[in-house]
Short mmCIF file of all heavy atoms in Angstrom, two decimals:
data_model
loop_
_atom_site.label_atom_id
_atom_site.label_comp_id
_atom_site.label_asym_id
_atom_site.label_seq_id
_atom_site.Cartn_x
_atom_site.Cartn_y
_atom_site.Cartn_z
N LEU A 1 -0.75 15.42 18.58
CA LEU A 1 0.08 16.41 17.90
C LEU A 1 -0.58 17.78 18.01
O LEU A 1 -1.79 17.90 17.76
CB LEU A 1 0.28 16.02 16.43
CG LEU A 1 1.04 14.73 16.15
CD1 LEU A 1 1.06 14.44 14.65
CD2 LEU A 1 2.45 14.80 16.69
N GLU A 2 0.20 18.77 18.35
CA GLU A 2 -0.30 20.14 18.45
C GLU A 2 0.06 20.89 17.16
O GLU A 2 1.20 20.85 16.71
CB GLU A 2 0.30 20.85 19.66
CG GLU A 2 -0.11 20.23 21.00
CD GLU A 2 0.48 20.97 22.17
OE1 GLU A 2 1.26 21.92 21.91
OE2 GLU A 2 0.16 20.62 23.32
N ALA A 3 -0.93 21.60 16.58
CA ALA A 3 -0.70 22.34 15.34
C ALA A 3 -1.67 23.50 15.26
O ALA A 3 -2.80 23.44 15.80
CB ALA A 3 -0.88 21.42 14.13
N ASN A 4 -1.22 24.57 14.61
CA ASN A 4 -2.10 25.73 14.40
C ASN A 4 -3.15 25.41 13.33
O ASN A 4 -4.31 25.78 13.46
CB ASN A 4 -1.27 26.95 13.97
CG ASN A 4 -0.34 27.41 15.09
OD1 ASN A 4 -0.69 27.30 16.27
ND2 ASN A 4 0.84 27.89 14.72
N ASP A 5 -2.73 24.70 12.28
CA ASP A 5 -3.64 24.34 11.19
C ASP A 5 -3.41 22.87 10.87
O ASP A 5 -2.55 22.53 10.04
CB ASP A 5 -3.38 25.22 9.98
CG ASP A 5 -4.42 24.99 8.87
OD1 ASP A 5 -5.31 24.15 9.08
OD2 ASP A 5 -4.31 25.64 7.82
N PRO A 6 -4.14 21.96 11.52
CA PRO A 6 -3.90 20.53 11.31
C PRO A 6 -4.06 20.09 9.86
O PRO A 6 -3.43 19.13 9.42
CB PRO A 6 -4.93 19.84 12.21
CG PRO A 6 -5.28 20.87 13.23
CD PRO A 6 -5.18 22.20 12.54
N GLN A 7 -4.91 20.77 9.11
CA GLN A 7 -5.15 20.37 7.73
C GLN A 7 -3.93 20.57 6.85
O GLN A 7 -3.75 19.87 5.86
CB GLN A 7 -6.34 21.15 7.17
CG GLN A 7 -7.64 20.91 7.91
CD GLN A 7 -8.10 19.47 7.77
OE1 GLN A 7 -7.83 18.82 6.77
NE2 GLN A 7 -8.80 18.98 8.79
N THR A 8 -3.10 21.52 7.17
CA THR A 8 -1.93 21.83 6.33
C THR A 8 -0.60 21.52 7.01
O THR A 8 0.40 21.29 6.34
CB THR A 8 -1.96 23.31 5.92
OG1 THR A 8 -1.94 24.13 7.11
CG2 THR A 8 -3.19 23.62 5.09
N ASP A 9 -0.60 21.54 8.36
CA ASP A 9 0.67 21.28 9.05
C ASP A 9 1.09 19.81 8.96
O ASP A 9 2.27 19.50 8.83
CB ASP A 9 0.56 21.70 10.51
CG ASP A 9 0.51 23.21 10.68
OD1 ASP A 9 0.80 23.91 9.69
OD2 ASP A 9 0.16 23.68 11.78
N PHE A 10 0.12 18.89 9.04
CA PHE A 10 0.43 17.46 8.99
C PHE A 10 -0.47 16.79 7.94
O PHE A 10 -1.69 16.96 7.96
CB PHE A 10 0.20 16.79 10.35
CG PHE A 10 1.00 17.40 11.47
CD1 PHE A 10 0.40 18.26 12.37
CD2 PHE A 10 2.35 17.14 11.59
CE1 PHE A 10 1.13 18.84 13.39
CE2 PHE A 10 3.09 17.72 12.61
CZ PHE A 10 2.48 18.58 13.52
N VAL A 11 0.16 16.07 7.05
CA VAL A 11 -0.57 15.38 5.99
C VAL A 11 -0.04 13.95 5.90
O VAL A 11 1.17 13.73 5.89
CB VAL A 11 -0.43 16.10 4.64
CG1 VAL A 11 -1.15 15.32 3.54
CG2 VAL A 11 -0.95 17.52 4.73
N PHE A 12 -0.95 12.98 5.81
CA PHE A 12 -0.57 11.58 5.60
C PHE A 12 -0.77 11.25 4.12
O PHE A 12 -1.93 11.19 3.67
CB PHE A 12 -1.42 10.65 6.46
CG PHE A 12 -1.13 10.73 7.92
CD1 PHE A 12 -1.87 11.57 8.74
CD2 PHE A 12 -0.12 9.97 8.49
CE1 PHE A 12 -1.60 11.66 10.09
CE2 PHE A 12 0.15 10.06 9.84
CZ PHE A 12 -0.59 10.90 10.65
N PRO A 13 0.30 11.05 3.36
CA PRO A 13 0.12 10.69 1.95
C PRO A 13 -0.47 9.30 1.82
O PRO A 13 -0.25 8.42 2.66
CB PRO A 13 1.54 10.76 1.38
CG PRO A 13 2.43 10.52 2.55
CD PRO A 13 1.73 11.11 3.75
N ASN A 14 -1.23 9.09 0.77
CA ASN A 14 -1.82 7.78 0.51
C ASN A 14 -0.82 6.89 -0.21
O ASN A 14 -0.45 7.17 -1.35
CB ASN A 14 -3.08 7.94 -0.33
CG ASN A 14 -4.17 8.68 0.40
OD1 ASN A 14 -4.36 8.50 1.60
ND2 ASN A 14 -4.90 9.53 -0.32
N PRO A 15 -0.34 5.80 0.45
CA PRO A 15 0.60 4.89 -0.22
C PRO A 15 -0.10 4.08 -1.29
O PRO A 15 -1.31 3.83 -1.21
CB PRO A 15 1.09 4.00 0.92
CG PRO A 15 -0.02 4.01 1.91
CD PRO A 15 -0.65 5.37 1.82
N PRO A 16 0.62 3.68 -2.32
CA PRO A 16 0.00 2.86 -3.37
C PRO A 16 -0.41 1.50 -2.82
O PRO A 16 0.23 0.94 -1.95
CB PRO A 16 1.10 2.74 -4.42
CG PRO A 16 2.37 2.95 -3.67
CD PRO A 16 2.05 3.92 -2.57
N ASN A 17 -1.46 0.96 -3.37
CA ASN A 17 -1.98 -0.34 -2.94
C ASN A 17 -1.85 -1.33 -4.08
O ASN A 17 -2.60 -1.30 -5.05
CB ASN A 17 -3.45 -0.20 -2.52
CG ASN A 17 -3.97 -1.49 -1.92
OD1 ASN A 17 -3.22 -2.45 -1.77
ND2 ASN A 17 -5.24 -1.50 -1.56
N ILE A 18 -0.86 -2.19 -3.96
CA ILE A 18 -0.62 -3.20 -5.00
C ILE A 18 -0.72 -4.60 -4.40
O ILE A 18 -0.21 -5.57 -4.96
CB ILE A 18 0.76 -3.02 -5.65
CG1 ILE A 18 1.88 -3.12 -4.58
CG2 ILE A 18 0.84 -1.70 -6.39
CD1 ILE A 18 3.26 -3.16 -5.18
N LEU A 19 -1.36 -4.74 -3.24
CA LEU A 19 -1.41 -6.03 -2.57
C LEU A 19 -2.11 -7.08 -3.43
O LEU A 19 -1.65 -8.22 -3.52
CB LEU A 19 -2.14 -5.89 -1.23
CG LEU A 19 -1.35 -5.20 -0.11
CD1 LEU A 19 -2.22 -5.03 1.11
CD2 LEU A 19 -0.11 -5.99 0.23
N GLN A 20 -3.20 -6.72 -4.06
CA GLN A 20 -3.96 -7.70 -4.83
C GLN A 20 -3.14 -8.27 -5.98
O GLN A 20 -3.09 -9.48 -6.20
CB GLN A 20 -5.25 -7.07 -5.36
CG GLN A 20 -6.20 -8.05 -6.02
CD GLN A 20 -6.67 -9.12 -5.05
OE1 GLN A 20 -6.85 -8.86 -3.86
NE2 GLN A 20 -6.85 -10.34 -5.55
N SER A 21 -2.47 -7.41 -6.72
CA SER A 21 -1.65 -7.89 -7.83
C SER A 21 -0.46 -8.70 -7.34
O SER A 21 0.00 -9.62 -8.01
CB SER A 21 -1.17 -6.71 -8.68
OG SER A 21 -0.40 -5.82 -7.88
N ALA A 22 0.06 -8.40 -6.14
CA ALA A 22 1.18 -9.17 -5.59
C ALA A 22 0.75 -10.60 -5.30
O ALA A 22 1.49 -11.55 -5.54
CB ALA A 22 1.72 -8.51 -4.33
N TYR A 23 -0.46 -10.78 -4.77
CA TYR A 23 -0.96 -12.14 -4.50
C TYR A 23 -1.10 -12.93 -5.80
O TYR A 23 -0.81 -14.13 -5.85
CB TYR A 23 -2.30 -12.08 -3.78
CG TYR A 23 -2.19 -11.69 -2.32
CD1 TYR A 23 -2.77 -10.53 -1.86
CD2 TYR A 23 -1.51 -12.50 -1.42
CE1 TYR A 23 -2.67 -10.17 -0.52
CE2 TYR A 23 -1.40 -12.16 -0.10
CZ TYR A 23 -1.98 -10.98 0.36
OH TYR A 23 -1.88 -10.63 1.68
N ILE A 24 -1.54 -12.29 -6.85
CA ILE A 24 -1.69 -12.98 -8.13
C ILE A 24 -0.33 -13.41 -8.67
O ILE A 24 -0.16 -14.53 -9.15
CB ILE A 24 -2.42 -12.05 -9.13
CG1 ILE A 24 -3.84 -11.76 -8.64
CG2 ILE A 24 -2.45 -12.68 -10.52
CD1 ILE A 24 -4.59 -10.76 -9.50
N GLU A 25 0.66 -12.52 -8.59
CA GLU A 25 2.00 -12.86 -9.06
C GLU A 25 2.62 -13.99 -8.24
O GLU A 25 3.29 -14.86 -8.77
CB GLU A 25 2.90 -11.62 -9.00
CG GLU A 25 2.54 -10.53 -9.99
CD GLU A 25 2.75 -10.98 -11.42
OE1 GLU A 25 3.61 -11.85 -11.66
OE2 GLU A 25 2.04 -10.48 -12.31
N ASP A 26 2.37 -13.99 -6.94
CA ASP A 26 2.89 -15.05 -6.08
C ASP A 26 2.30 -16.40 -6.47
O ASP A 26 3.00 -17.41 -6.54
CB ASP A 26 2.59 -14.72 -4.63
CG ASP A 26 3.26 -15.69 -3.67
OD1 ASP A 26 2.68 -16.76 -3.41
OD2 ASP A 26 4.38 -15.39 -3.21
N GLN A 27 0.99 -16.43 -6.72
CA GLN A 27 0.34 -17.67 -7.12
C GLN A 27 0.83 -18.14 -8.48
O GLN A 27 1.05 -19.34 -8.70
CB GLN A 27 -1.18 -17.47 -7.14
CG GLN A 27 -1.96 -18.72 -7.55
CD GLN A 27 -1.71 -19.88 -6.60
OE1 GLN A 27 -1.47 -19.68 -5.41
NE2 GLN A 27 -1.78 -21.10 -7.13
N TYR A 28 1.05 -17.23 -9.39
CA TYR A 28 1.56 -17.59 -10.72
C TYR A 28 2.96 -18.17 -10.61
O TYR A 28 3.30 -19.14 -11.29
CB TYR A 28 1.56 -16.36 -11.62
CG TYR A 28 2.13 -16.62 -12.99
CD1 TYR A 28 1.41 -17.32 -13.96
CD2 TYR A 28 3.42 -16.19 -13.32
CE1 TYR A 28 1.93 -17.57 -15.21
CE2 TYR A 28 3.96 -16.43 -14.56
CZ TYR A 28 3.21 -17.12 -15.51
OH TYR A 28 3.74 -17.37 -16.74
N SER A 29 3.79 -17.60 -9.73
CA SER A 29 5.14 -18.14 -9.53
C SER A 29 5.10 -19.54 -8.96
O SER A 29 5.91 -20.41 -9.33
CB SER A 29 5.94 -17.21 -8.60
OG SER A 29 7.21 -17.73 -8.34
N THR A 30 4.15 -19.82 -8.05
CA THR A 30 4.01 -21.17 -7.49
C THR A 30 3.67 -22.18 -8.59
O THR A 30 4.23 -23.28 -8.64
CB THR A 30 2.92 -21.18 -6.42
OG1 THR A 30 3.28 -20.25 -5.39
CG2 THR A 30 2.76 -22.56 -5.82
N ILE A 31 2.77 -21.81 -9.47
CA ILE A 31 2.38 -22.70 -10.57
C ILE A 31 3.57 -22.94 -11.50
O ILE A 31 3.79 -24.06 -11.98
CB ILE A 31 1.17 -22.12 -11.32
CG1 ILE A 31 -0.04 -22.03 -10.40
CG2 ILE A 31 0.84 -22.95 -12.55
CD1 ILE A 31 -1.23 -21.35 -11.01
N GLU A 32 4.34 -21.91 -11.78
CA GLU A 32 5.52 -22.06 -12.64
C GLU A 32 6.52 -23.02 -12.03
O GLU A 32 7.11 -23.85 -12.73
CB GLU A 32 6.17 -20.68 -12.87
CG GLU A 32 5.43 -19.80 -13.85
CD GLU A 32 5.41 -20.40 -15.25
OE1 GLU A 32 6.48 -20.75 -15.75
OE2 GLU A 32 4.31 -20.55 -15.82
N ALA A 33 6.74 -22.94 -10.71
CA ALA A 33 7.67 -23.85 -10.05
C ALA A 33 7.18 -25.29 -10.15
O ALA A 33 7.98 -26.22 -10.37
CB ALA A 33 7.85 -23.44 -8.59
N GLN A 34 5.89 -25.52 -10.02
CA GLN A 34 5.36 -26.86 -10.12
C GLN A 34 5.48 -27.41 -11.54
O GLN A 34 5.70 -28.61 -11.73
CB GLN A 34 3.90 -26.87 -9.67
CG GLN A 34 3.71 -26.54 -8.20
CD GLN A 34 2.26 -26.50 -7.79
OE1 GLN A 34 1.37 -26.81 -8.58
NE2 GLN A 34 1.99 -26.11 -6.55
#
């Protein structure tokens, strides 16, 4: 990518990270089904 000021022209926002809590909820749902 070509830019005059890479620091301000292009920015990658940080997405939220909820992967760990999703694994816990998935396991809890499995136990509930059993």
Side-chain angles (χ1 to χ4, degrees):
L1 295 176
E2 295 181 357
N4 295 326
D5 187 0
Q7 298 296 330
T8 59
D9 289 347
F10 302 102
V11 178
F12 290 93
N14 294 322
N17 187 3
I18 59 171
L19 286 176
Q20 187 62 34
S21 60
Y23 285 117
I24 296 175
E25 292 295 332
D26 187 275
Q27 180 60 31
Y28 177 75
S29 177
T30 301
I31 297 174
E32 284 296 308
Q34 294 178 5

